[in-house]
Amino acid sequence: AIKLAPVILGLRAHPRLQGHVCATAQHRAMMDQALGVFDVTPDVDLDLMVPDQTLAGLTARAVSGIDEYLQEHRPDLVLLQGDTTTVLAAALAAFYRRIPVGHVEAGLRTGDFDAPWPEEANRVLATRLTSIHFAPTAIARHNLLAEGIAPSRVHVTGNTVVDALLIARAKVTQTQPEVPGLNESILAPGTQLVLITGHRRESFGDGFENICQAIALLSERFPSARFVYPVHLNPHVREPVQRILGSGKHPNVHLIEPIAYLPFVRLMDRCDVLLTDSGGIQEEAPSLHKPVLVMRDTT
């Protein structure tokens, strides 16, 4: 949602192009507030998500739901972003309808289908069905050319997340949004602030156990630092985080609920270092001149 928002705004401003926004509604509340920052409302909301869904079930519902959308609206191009299950399903549905696909953030690779899982497979498979590849970097372009994609079909565009971040940072500078669940004194100048996020499937289980144990150890080694962790909604993340870091066991670790995009940008802009497994935050934080420790084996 965040990475496509600047593209949607660009389509709005173009005299000969019309952008139609179709959402599958993964992480309903988080998506709605993120799009709201940019005054974007989906034209169609498929609302595909169900509790405890399997990847196979989600993929099947997404292919079917997006196919019905494409049959009704017949766009000239389907624009996809990134490496989610929605991307793979939409690319397949568009291919079946003989509608060309444009892939934003094309060409990212780890070379390992297990990490990130299933995202590496999603983007590799989507590449084979894509007509126009919008690569964020020269390295991403090189990856695509090495896989046999014609150079004429690859365009290096830069990263749309940076466009979105600069729009959001300007709003944050003006408004200083409140960070729910966090005392304002924690954000005061002079406090060492470590911002943490984690959500990747390949870290479920032992990975998150190790991450939480490491944060606990760091909090003891650096008692004057504040560790702020907006905890992802997935129960595979929340259980080890609450068990190891919750219940006041580590008073300088602040576990808060997931927060809206603008308060999160404020935290990024204020913190001293980030610990994350997020591909997007890896790109955003350096744009704010913040060091990032990447909690992944491959990226």
mmCIF file of all heavy atoms in Angstrom, residues 182-232:
data_model
loop_
_atom_site.group_PDB
_atom_site.id
_atom_site.type_symbol
_atom_site.label_atom_id
_atom_site.label_comp_id
_atom_site.label_asym_id
_atom_site.label_seq_id
_atom_site.Cartn_x
_atom_site.Cartn_y
_atom_site.Cartn_z
ATOM 1 N N LEU A 182 3.046 4.763 23.935
ATOM 2 C CA LEU A 182 4.408 5.163 24.275
ATOM 3 C C LEU A 182 4.382 6.524 24.958
ATOM 4 O O LEU A 182 3.792 7.475 24.443
ATOM 5 C CB LEU A 182 5.260 5.229 23.004
ATOM 6 C CG LEU A 182 6.764 5.016 23.145
ATOM 7 C CD1 LEU A 182 7.064 3.645 23.731
ATOM 8 C CD2 LEU A 182 7.448 5.179 21.799
ATOM 9 N N ASN A 183 5.026 6.600 26.122
ATOM 10 C CA ASN A 183 5.143 7.869 26.831
ATOM 11 C C ASN A 183 6.021 8.829 26.040
ATOM 12 O O ASN A 183 7.082 8.442 25.538
ATOM 13 C CB ASN A 183 5.724 7.629 28.228
ATOM 14 C CG ASN A 183 5.625 8.862 29.103
ATOM 15 O OD1 ASN A 183 6.186 9.901 28.793
ATOM 16 N ND2 ASN A 183 4.911 8.718 30.212
ATOM 17 N N GLU A 184 5.589 10.064 25.952
ATOM 18 C CA GLU A 184 6.318 11.052 25.149
ATOM 19 C C GLU A 184 7.744 11.252 25.647
ATOM 20 O O GLU A 184 8.635 11.606 24.867
ATOM 21 C CB GLU A 184 5.550 12.378 25.159
ATOM 22 C CG GLU A 184 5.939 13.348 24.054
ATOM 23 C CD GLU A 184 5.558 12.888 22.657
ATOM 24 O OE1 GLU A 184 4.615 12.082 22.521
ATOM 25 O OE2 GLU A 184 6.212 13.346 21.695
ATOM 26 N N SER A 185 7.995 11.002 26.932
ATOM 27 C CA SER A 185 9.344 11.189 27.467
ATOM 28 C C SER A 185 10.349 10.244 26.832
ATOM 29 O O SER A 185 11.547 10.549 26.764
ATOM 30 C CB SER A 185 9.335 10.985 28.991
ATOM 31 O OG SER A 185 8.981 9.644 29.314
ATOM 32 N N ILE A 186 9.872 9.101 26.363
ATOM 33 C CA ILE A 186 10.768 8.128 25.723
ATOM 34 C C ILE A 186 11.324 8.689 24.420
ATOM 35 O O ILE A 186 12.416 8.322 23.979
ATOM 36 C CB ILE A 186 10.012 6.797 25.488
ATOM 37 C CG1 ILE A 186 9.660 6.162 26.832
ATOM 38 C CG2 ILE A 186 10.821 5.822 24.644
ATOM 39 C CD1 ILE A 186 8.716 4.988 26.730
ATOM 40 N N LEU A 187 10.569 9.605 23.801
ATOM 41 C CA LEU A 187 10.990 10.193 22.535
ATOM 42 C C LEU A 187 11.805 11.469 22.729
ATOM 43 O O LEU A 187 12.205 12.096 21.757
ATOM 44 C CB LEU A 187 9.757 10.504 21.674
ATOM 45 C CG LEU A 187 8.874 9.310 21.329
ATOM 46 C CD1 LEU A 187 7.626 9.765 20.581
ATOM 47 C CD2 LEU A 187 9.641 8.297 20.501
ATOM 48 N N ALA A 188 12.062 11.835 23.986
ATOM 49 C CA ALA A 188 12.785 13.074 24.257
ATOM 50 C C ALA A 188 14.220 12.998 23.755
ATOM 51 O O ALA A 188 14.831 11.926 23.747
ATOM 52 C CB ALA A 188 12.771 13.353 25.759
ATOM 53 N N PRO A 189 14.781 14.116 23.308
ATOM 54 C CA PRO A 189 16.179 14.129 22.870
ATOM 55 C C PRO A 189 17.103 13.655 23.986
ATOM 56 O O PRO A 189 16.865 13.895 25.162
ATOM 57 C CB PRO A 189 16.422 15.614 22.536
ATOM 58 C CG PRO A 189 15.068 16.179 22.267
ATOM 59 C CD PRO A 189 14.129 15.432 23.162
ATOM 60 N N GLY A 190 18.144 12.947 23.590
ATOM 61 C CA GLY A 190 19.124 12.466 24.552
ATOM 62 C C GLY A 190 18.927 11.030 24.973
ATOM 63 O O GLY A 190 19.845 10.393 25.496
ATOM 64 N N THR A 191 17.712 10.488 24.780
ATOM 65 C CA THR A 191 17.457 9.083 25.093
ATOM 66 C C THR A 191 17.912 8.211 23.941
ATOM 67 O O THR A 191 17.602 8.482 22.786
ATOM 68 C CB THR A 191 15.951 8.850 25.333
ATOM 69 O OG1 THR A 191 15.498 9.717 26.363
ATOM 70 C CG2 THR A 191 15.681 7.410 25.711
ATOM 71 N N GLN A 192 18.670 7.160 24.256
ATOM 72 C CA GLN A 192 19.058 6.209 23.210
ATOM 73 C C GLN A 192 17.852 5.343 22.872
ATOM 74 O O GLN A 192 17.305 4.665 23.743
ATOM 75 C CB GLN A 192 20.220 5.334 23.677
ATOM 76 C CG GLN A 192 21.550 6.061 23.768
ATOM 77 C CD GLN A 192 22.660 5.110 24.150
ATOM 78 O OE1 GLN A 192 22.511 4.316 25.072
ATOM 79 N NE2 GLN A 192 23.774 5.181 23.445
ATOM 80 N N LEU A 193 17.449 5.352 21.615
ATOM 81 C CA LEU A 193 16.224 4.672 21.205
ATOM 82 C C LEU A 193 16.537 3.633 20.132
ATOM 83 O O LEU A 193 17.103 3.946 19.082
ATOM 84 C CB LEU A 193 15.221 5.691 20.664
ATOM 85 C CG LEU A 193 13.821 5.157 20.337
ATOM 86 C CD1 LEU A 193 13.143 4.613 21.577
ATOM 87 C CD2 LEU A 193 12.965 6.261 19.716
ATOM 88 N N VAL A 194 16.163 2.390 20.417
ATOM 89 C CA VAL A 194 16.311 1.278 19.475
ATOM 90 C C VAL A 194 14.908 0.886 19.021
ATOM 91 O O VAL A 194 14.058 0.543 19.850
ATOM 92 C CB VAL A 194 17.020 0.073 20.118
ATOM 93 C CG1 VAL A 194 17.158 -1.071 19.112
ATOM 94 C CG2 VAL A 194 18.387 0.487 20.650
ATOM 95 N N LEU A 195 14.649 0.924 17.727
ATOM 96 C CA LEU A 195 13.341 0.574 17.165
ATOM 97 C C LEU A 195 13.433 -0.821 16.547
ATOM 98 O O LEU A 195 14.379 -1.121 15.810
ATOM 99 C CB LEU A 195 12.935 1.603 16.115
ATOM 100 C CG LEU A 195 11.606 1.394 15.395
ATOM 101 C CD1 LEU A 195 10.444 1.317 16.367
ATOM 102 C CD2 LEU A 195 11.385 2.516 14.366
ATOM 103 N N ILE A 196 12.446 -1.662 16.848
ATOM 104 C CA ILE A 196 12.476 -3.071 16.439
ATOM 105 C C ILE A 196 11.199 -3.413 15.690
ATOM 106 O O ILE A 196 10.101 -3.013 16.095
ATOM 107 C CB ILE A 196 12.582 -3.995 17.680
ATOM 108 C CG1 ILE A 196 13.799 -3.627 18.527
ATOM 109 C CG2 ILE A 196 12.636 -5.466 17.268
ATOM 110 C CD1 ILE A 196 13.730 -4.137 19.947
ATOM 111 N N THR A 197 11.315 -4.151 14.590
ATOM 112 C CA THR A 197 10.153 -4.769 13.947
ATOM 113 C C THR A 197 10.536 -6.184 13.529
ATOM 114 O O THR A 197 11.702 -6.470 13.245
ATOM 115 C CB THR A 197 9.647 -4.005 12.705
ATOM 116 O OG1 THR A 197 10.490 -4.287 11.578
ATOM 117 C CG2 THR A 197 9.595 -2.507 12.947
ATOM 118 N N GLY A 198 9.542 -7.067 13.466
ATOM 119 C CA GLY A 198 9.793 -8.433 13.011
ATOM 120 C C GLY A 198 8.501 -9.100 12.591
ATOM 121 O O GLY A 198 7.483 -8.954 13.271
ATOM 122 N N HIS A 199 8.531 -9.810 11.460
ATOM 123 C CA HIS A 199 7.299 -10.447 10.999
ATOM 124 C C HIS A 199 7.503 -11.613 10.039
ATOM 125 O O HIS A 199 6.560 -12.297 9.691
ATOM 126 C CB HIS A 199 6.416 -9.414 10.294
ATOM 127 C CG HIS A 199 6.913 -9.015 8.939
ATOM 128 N ND1 HIS A 199 7.979 -8.167 8.767
ATOM 129 C CD2 HIS A 199 6.504 -9.369 7.696
ATOM 130 C CE1 HIS A 199 8.196 -7.990 7.475
ATOM 131 N NE2 HIS A 199 7.326 -8.718 6.801
ATOM 132 N N ARG A 200 8.721 -11.892 9.596
ATOM 133 C CA ARG A 200 8.906 -12.806 8.469
ATOM 134 C C ARG A 200 8.590 -14.259 8.828
ATOM 135 O O ARG A 200 8.971 -14.765 9.888
ATOM 136 C CB ARG A 200 10.328 -12.727 7.940
ATOM 137 C CG ARG A 200 10.744 -11.345 7.486
ATOM 138 C CD ARG A 200 11.731 -11.412 6.350
ATOM 139 N NE ARG A 200 11.039 -11.721 5.117
ATOM 140 C CZ ARG A 200 10.465 -10.804 4.338
ATOM 141 N NH1 ARG A 200 10.485 -9.544 4.662
ATOM 142 N NH2 ARG A 200 9.853 -11.161 3.226
ATOM 143 N N ARG A 201 7.937 -14.952 7.893
ATOM 144 C CA ARG A 201 7.529 -16.342 8.128
ATOM 145 C C ARG A 201 8.720 -17.262 8.367
ATOM 146 O O ARG A 201 8.627 -18.200 9.157
ATOM 147 C CB ARG A 201 6.726 -16.864 6.917
ATOM 148 C CG ARG A 201 5.312 -16.332 6.841
ATOM 149 C CD ARG A 201 4.634 -16.831 5.573
ATOM 150 N NE ARG A 201 3.268 -16.335 5.452
ATOM 151 C CZ ARG A 201 2.192 -16.977 5.889
ATOM 152 N NH1 ARG A 201 2.332 -18.143 6.481
ATOM 153 N NH2 ARG A 201 0.995 -16.461 5.743
ATOM 154 N N GLU A 202 9.831 -17.012 7.660
ATOM 155 C CA GLU A 202 10.948 -17.947 7.812
ATOM 156 C C GLU A 202 11.583 -17.871 9.204
ATOM 157 O O GLU A 202 12.380 -18.726 9.579
ATOM 158 C CB GLU A 202 12.013 -17.730 6.735
ATOM 159 C CG GLU A 202 12.789 -16.435 6.840
ATOM 160 C CD GLU A 202 12.241 -15.335 5.955
ATOM 161 O OE1 GLU A 202 11.057 -15.404 5.573
ATOM 162 O OE2 GLU A 202 13.004 -14.401 5.643
ATOM 163 N N SER A 203 11.209 -16.844 9.985
ATOM 164 C CA SER A 203 11.724 -16.721 11.350
ATOM 165 C C SER A 203 10.792 -17.306 12.403
ATOM 166 O O SER A 203 11.145 -17.330 13.589
ATOM 167 C CB SER A 203 11.994 -15.244 11.678
ATOM 168 O OG SER A 203 13.012 -14.720 10.865
ATOM 169 N N PHE A 204 9.600 -17.763 11.999
ATOM 170 C CA PHE A 204 8.675 -18.344 12.964
ATOM 171 C C PHE A 204 9.353 -19.515 13.674
ATOM 172 O O PHE A 204 10.078 -20.307 13.070
ATOM 173 C CB PHE A 204 7.397 -18.858 12.285
ATOM 174 C CG PHE A 204 6.487 -17.763 11.760
ATOM 175 C CD1 PHE A 204 5.351 -18.085 11.038
ATOM 176 C CD2 PHE A 204 6.767 -16.422 11.985
ATOM 177 C CE1 PHE A 204 4.510 -17.107 10.548
ATOM 178 C CE2 PHE A 204 5.930 -15.428 11.496
ATOM 179 C CZ PHE A 204 4.797 -15.766 10.778
ATOM 180 N N GLY A 205 9.109 -19.623 14.980
ATOM 181 C CA GLY A 205 9.713 -20.715 15.739
ATOM 182 C C GLY A 205 11.031 -20.291 16.356
ATOM 183 O O GLY A 205 11.110 -19.273 17.057
ATOM 184 N N ASP A 206 12.087 -21.046 16.074
ATOM 185 C CA ASP A 206 13.383 -20.775 16.682
ATOM 186 C C ASP A 206 13.903 -19.388 16.349
ATOM 187 O O ASP A 206 14.563 -18.749 17.183
ATOM 188 C CB ASP A 206 14.407 -21.826 16.226
ATOM 189 C CG ASP A 206 14.148 -23.196 16.825
ATOM 190 O OD1 ASP A 206 13.381 -23.270 17.802
ATOM 191 O OD2 ASP A 206 14.709 -24.175 16.309
ATOM 192 N N GLY A 207 13.612 -18.904 15.149
ATOM 193 C CA GLY A 207 14.103 -17.584 14.753
ATOM 194 C C GLY A 207 13.619 -16.495 15.694
ATOM 195 O O GLY A 207 14.420 -15.679 16.183
ATOM 196 N N PHE A 208 12.326 -16.469 15.971
ATOM 197 C CA PHE A 208 11.792 -15.441 16.868
ATOM 198 C C PHE A 208 12.206 -15.680 18.316
ATOM 199 O O PHE A 208 12.378 -14.726 19.080
ATOM 200 C CB PHE A 208 10.272 -15.338 16.731
ATOM 201 C CG PHE A 208 9.861 -14.328 15.690
ATOM 202 C CD1 PHE A 208 9.420 -14.733 14.448
ATOM 203 C CD2 PHE A 208 9.966 -12.967 15.944
ATOM 204 C CE1 PHE A 208 9.077 -13.807 13.476
ATOM 205 C CE2 PHE A 208 9.624 -12.027 14.987
ATOM 206 C CZ PHE A 208 9.173 -12.445 13.751
ATOM 207 N N GLU A 209 12.363 -16.934 18.706
ATOM 208 C CA GLU A 209 12.897 -17.209 20.044
ATOM 209 C C GLU A 209 14.271 -16.552 20.196
ATOM 210 O O GLU A 209 14.560 -15.888 21.199
ATOM 211 C CB GLU A 209 13.009 -18.722 20.264
ATOM 212 C CG GLU A 209 11.692 -19.467 20.309
ATOM 213 C CD GLU A 209 10.996 -19.360 21.658
ATOM 214 O OE1 GLU A 209 11.677 -19.134 22.684
ATOM 215 O OE2 GLU A 209 9.758 -19.513 21.689
ATOM 216 N N ASN A 210 15.125 -16.734 19.197
ATOM 217 C CA ASN A 210 16.475 -16.178 19.259
ATOM 218 C C ASN A 210 16.461 -14.655 19.229
ATOM 219 O O ASN A 210 17.227 -13.994 19.945
ATOM 220 C CB ASN A 210 17.317 -16.710 18.091
ATOM 221 C CG ASN A 210 17.586 -18.191 18.203
ATOM 222 O OD1 ASN A 210 17.562 -18.743 19.291
ATOM 223 N ND2 ASN A 210 17.832 -18.839 17.067
ATOM 224 N N ILE A 211 15.595 -14.086 18.379
ATOM 225 C CA ILE A 211 15.493 -12.626 18.303
ATOM 226 C C ILE A 211 15.094 -12.054 19.661
ATOM 227 O O ILE A 211 15.686 -11.084 20.153
ATOM 228 C CB ILE A 211 14.482 -12.224 17.205
ATOM 229 C CG1 ILE A 211 15.093 -12.454 15.816
ATOM 230 C CG2 ILE A 211 14.051 -10.766 17.364
ATOM 231 C CD1 ILE A 211 14.095 -12.327 14.676
ATOM 232 N N CYS A 212 14.080 -12.652 20.284
ATOM 233 C CA CYS A 212 13.596 -12.144 21.569
ATOM 234 C C CYS A 212 14.641 -12.309 22.671
ATOM 235 O O CYS A 212 14.825 -11.413 23.508
ATOM 236 C CB CYS A 212 12.301 -12.842 21.956
ATOM 237 S SG CYS A 212 10.919 -12.450 20.877
ATOM 238 N N GLN A 213 15.340 -13.435 22.666
ATOM 239 C CA GLN A 213 16.393 -13.628 23.663
ATOM 240 C C GLN A 213 17.503 -12.597 23.478
ATOM 241 O O GLN A 213 18.065 -12.089 24.469
ATOM 242 C CB GLN A 213 16.959 -15.050 23.564
ATOM 243 C CG GLN A 213 15.976 -16.159 23.915
ATOM 244 C CD GLN A 213 15.622 -16.219 25.396
ATOM 245 O OE1 GLN A 213 16.157 -15.463 26.206
ATOM 246 N NE2 GLN A 213 14.702 -17.110 25.747
ATOM 247 N N ALA A 214 17.812 -12.276 22.238
ATOM 248 C CA ALA A 214 18.855 -11.281 21.968
ATOM 249 C C ALA A 214 18.427 -9.896 22.440
ATOM 250 O O ALA A 214 19.230 -9.147 23.021
ATOM 251 C CB ALA A 214 19.179 -11.254 20.475
ATOM 252 N N ILE A 215 17.160 -9.538 22.199
ATOM 253 C CA ILE A 215 16.667 -8.239 22.662
ATOM 254 C C ILE A 215 16.701 -8.183 24.190
ATOM 255 O O ILE A 215 17.090 -7.158 24.778
ATOM 256 C CB ILE A 215 15.240 -7.989 22.130
ATOM 257 C CG1 ILE A 215 15.265 -7.851 20.610
ATOM 258 C CG2 ILE A 215 14.634 -6.735 22.764
ATOM 259 C CD1 ILE A 215 13.895 -7.908 19.963
ATOM 260 N N ALA A 216 16.325 -9.268 24.841
ATOM 261 C CA ALA A 216 16.370 -9.321 26.306
ATOM 262 C C ALA A 216 17.799 -9.095 26.808
ATOM 263 O O ALA A 216 18.035 -8.333 27.756
ATOM 264 C CB ALA A 216 15.836 -10.659 26.798
ATOM 265 N N LEU A 217 18.753 -9.749 26.158
ATOM 266 C CA LEU A 217 20.153 -9.595 26.550
ATOM 267 C C LEU A 217 20.639 -8.167 26.339
ATOM 268 O O LEU A 217 21.308 -7.574 27.190
ATOM 269 C CB LEU A 217 21.017 -10.581 25.754
ATOM 270 C CG LEU A 217 22.518 -10.575 26.046
ATOM 271 C CD1 LEU A 217 22.781 -10.952 27.491
ATOM 272 C CD2 LEU A 217 23.226 -11.540 25.111
ATOM 273 N N LEU A 218 20.272 -7.579 25.204
ATOM 274 C CA LEU A 218 20.668 -6.195 24.918
ATOM 275 C C LEU A 218 20.074 -5.228 25.936
ATOM 276 O O LEU A 218 20.735 -4.271 26.363
ATOM 277 C CB LEU A 218 20.216 -5.806 23.510
ATOM 278 C CG LEU A 218 20.984 -6.450 22.354
ATOM 279 C CD1 LEU A 218 20.263 -6.179 21.024
ATOM 280 C CD2 LEU A 218 22.403 -5.919 22.280
ATOM 281 N N SER A 219 18.815 -5.466 26.313
ATOM 282 C CA SER A 219 18.180 -4.566 27.276
ATOM 283 C C SER A 219 18.892 -4.593 28.624
ATOM 284 O O SER A 219 18.921 -3.585 29.337
ATOM 285 C CB SER A 219 16.704 -4.932 27.447
ATOM 286 O OG SER A 219 16.543 -6.121 28.193
ATOM 287 N N GLU A 220 19.456 -5.750 28.987
ATOM 288 C CA GLU A 220 20.201 -5.855 30.242
ATOM 289 C C GLU A 220 21.574 -5.218 30.122
ATOM 290 O O GLU A 220 22.071 -4.609 31.075
ATOM 291 C CB GLU A 220 20.315 -7.326 30.644
ATOM 292 C CG GLU A 220 18.970 -7.961 30.994
ATOM 293 C CD GLU A 220 19.016 -9.480 31.058
ATOM 294 O OE1 GLU A 220 20.133 -10.036 30.889
ATOM 295 O OE2 GLU A 220 17.953 -10.107 31.246
ATOM 296 N N ARG A 221 22.187 -5.358 28.954
ATOM 297 C CA ARG A 221 23.528 -4.779 28.760
ATOM 298 C C ARG A 221 23.487 -3.261 28.662
ATOM 299 O O ARG A 221 24.443 -2.583 29.028
ATOM 300 C CB ARG A 221 24.145 -5.340 27.471
ATOM 301 C CG ARG A 221 24.806 -6.675 27.655
ATOM 302 C CD ARG A 221 25.669 -7.002 26.458
ATOM 303 N NE ARG A 221 26.060 -8.401 26.509
ATOM 304 C CZ ARG A 221 26.563 -9.061 25.475
ATOM 305 N NH1 ARG A 221 26.698 -8.448 24.311
ATOM 306 N NH2 ARG A 221 26.906 -10.318 25.600
ATOM 307 N N PHE A 222 22.377 -2.739 28.136
ATOM 308 C CA PHE A 222 22.261 -1.296 27.921
ATOM 309 C C PHE A 222 21.004 -0.779 28.629
ATOM 310 O O PHE A 222 20.006 -0.442 27.995
ATOM 311 C CB PHE A 222 22.212 -0.990 26.424
ATOM 312 C CG PHE A 222 23.398 -1.495 25.662
ATOM 313 C CD1 PHE A 222 23.350 -2.709 24.986
ATOM 314 C CD2 PHE A 222 24.582 -0.775 25.630
ATOM 315 C CE1 PHE A 222 24.446 -3.194 24.291
ATOM 316 C CE2 PHE A 222 25.687 -1.245 24.941
ATOM 317 C CZ PHE A 222 25.624 -2.456 24.272
ATOM 318 N N PRO A 223 21.042 -0.727 29.968
ATOM 319 C CA PRO A 223 19.831 -0.381 30.730
ATOM 320 C C PRO A 223 19.347 1.043 30.500
ATOM 321 O O PRO A 223 18.170 1.339 30.734
ATOM 322 C CB PRO A 223 20.275 -0.593 32.184
ATOM 323 C CG PRO A 223 21.763 -0.483 32.162
ATOM 324 C CD PRO A 223 22.195 -1.019 30.836
ATOM 325 N N SER A 224 20.208 1.943 30.026
ATOM 326 C CA SER A 224 19.770 3.325 29.797
ATOM 327 C C SER A 224 19.095 3.497 28.439
ATOM 328 O O SER A 224 18.474 4.541 28.184
ATOM 329 C CB SER A 224 20.963 4.281 29.907
ATOM 330 O OG SER A 224 21.914 4.005 28.882
ATOM 331 N N ALA A 225 19.222 2.498 27.562
ATOM 332 C CA ALA A 225 18.589 2.581 26.244
ATOM 333 C C ALA A 225 17.128 2.156 26.339
ATOM 334 O O ALA A 225 16.741 1.401 27.239
ATOM 335 C CB ALA A 225 19.330 1.705 25.237
ATOM 336 N N ARG A 226 16.328 2.657 25.425
ATOM 337 C CA ARG A 226 14.921 2.267 25.331
ATOM 338 C C ARG A 226 14.731 1.443 24.062
ATOM 339 O O ARG A 226 15.148 1.870 22.972
ATOM 340 C CB ARG A 226 14.031 3.510 25.273
ATOM 341 C CG ARG A 226 14.171 4.418 26.483
ATOM 342 C CD ARG A 226 13.535 3.825 27.713
ATOM 343 N NE ARG A 226 13.450 4.788 28.803
ATOM 344 C CZ ARG A 226 12.678 4.660 29.861
ATOM 345 N NH1 ARG A 226 11.906 3.587 29.971
ATOM 346 N NH2 ARG A 226 12.664 5.565 30.813
ATOM 347 N N PHE A 227 14.094 0.284 24.207
ATOM 348 C CA PHE A 227 13.844 -0.616 23.085
ATOM 349 C C PHE A 227 12.334 -0.591 22.798
ATOM 350 O O PHE A 227 11.548 -1.036 23.638
ATOM 351 C CB PHE A 227 14.300 -2.032 23.409
ATOM 352 C CG PHE A 227 15.786 -2.148 23.634
ATOM 353 C CD1 PHE A 227 16.350 -1.795 24.861
ATOM 354 C CD2 PHE A 227 16.624 -2.610 22.629
ATOM 355 C CE1 PHE A 227 17.717 -1.896 25.071
ATOM 356 C CE2 PHE A 227 17.988 -2.713 22.832
ATOM 357 C CZ PHE A 227 18.538 -2.351 24.056
ATOM 358 N N VAL A 228 11.959 -0.060 21.660
ATOM 359 C CA VAL A 228 10.544 0.092 21.309
ATOM 360 C C VAL A 228 10.208 -0.906 20.220
ATOM 361 O O VAL A 228 10.826 -0.916 19.151
ATOM 362 C CB VAL A 228 10.232 1.524 20.840
ATOM 363 C CG1 VAL A 228 8.778 1.642 20.398
ATOM 364 C CG2 VAL A 228 10.533 2.516 21.956
ATOM 365 N N TYR A 229 9.199 -1.751 20.491
ATOM 366 C CA TYR A 229 8.862 -2.857 19.582
ATOM 367 C C TYR A 229 7.356 -2.843 19.318
ATOM 368 O O TYR A 229 6.578 -3.337 20.131
ATOM 369 C CB TYR A 229 9.286 -4.171 20.225
ATOM 370 C CG TYR A 229 9.245 -5.404 19.342
ATOM 371 C CD1 TYR A 229 9.848 -6.584 19.752
ATOM 372 C CD2 TYR A 229 8.595 -5.407 18.100
ATOM 373 C CE1 TYR A 229 9.822 -7.735 18.970
ATOM 374 C CE2 TYR A 229 8.556 -6.546 17.311
ATOM 375 C CZ TYR A 229 9.171 -7.700 17.744
ATOM 376 O OH TYR A 229 9.130 -8.829 16.972
ATOM 377 N N PRO A 230 6.908 -2.282 18.180
ATOM 378 C CA PRO A 230 5.500 -2.464 17.772
ATOM 379 C C PRO A 230 5.326 -3.909 17.297
ATOM 380 O O PRO A 230 5.881 -4.304 16.272
ATOM 381 C CB PRO A 230 5.328 -1.468 16.614
ATOM 382 C CG PRO A 230 6.539 -0.577 16.654
ATOM 383 C CD PRO A 230 7.629 -1.406 17.252
ATOM 384 N N VAL A 231 4.569 -4.701 18.047
ATOM 385 C CA VAL A 231 4.543 -6.142 17.836
ATOM 386 C C VAL A 231 3.510 -6.505 16.772
ATOM 387 O O VAL A 231 2.333 -6.150 16.880
ATOM 388 C CB VAL A 231 4.233 -6.891 19.151
ATOM 389 C CG1 VAL A 231 4.314 -8.397 18.935
ATOM 390 C CG2 VAL A 231 5.206 -6.452 20.244
ATOM 391 N N HIS A 232 3.971 -7.226 15.769
ATOM 392 C CA HIS A 232 3.114 -7.632 14.648
ATOM 393 C C HIS A 232 1.931 -8.451 15.148
ATOM 394 O O HIS A 232 2.005 -9.137 16.170
ATOM 395 C CB HIS A 232 3.943 -8.453 13.656
ATOM 396 C CG HIS A 232 3.339 -8.594 12.297
ATOM 397 N ND1 HIS A 232 2.450 -9.594 11.983
ATOM 398 C CD2 HIS A 232 3.489 -7.860 11.169
ATOM 399 C CE1 HIS A 232 2.092 -9.478 10.721
ATOM 400 N NE2 HIS A 232 2.698 -8.433 10.207
#
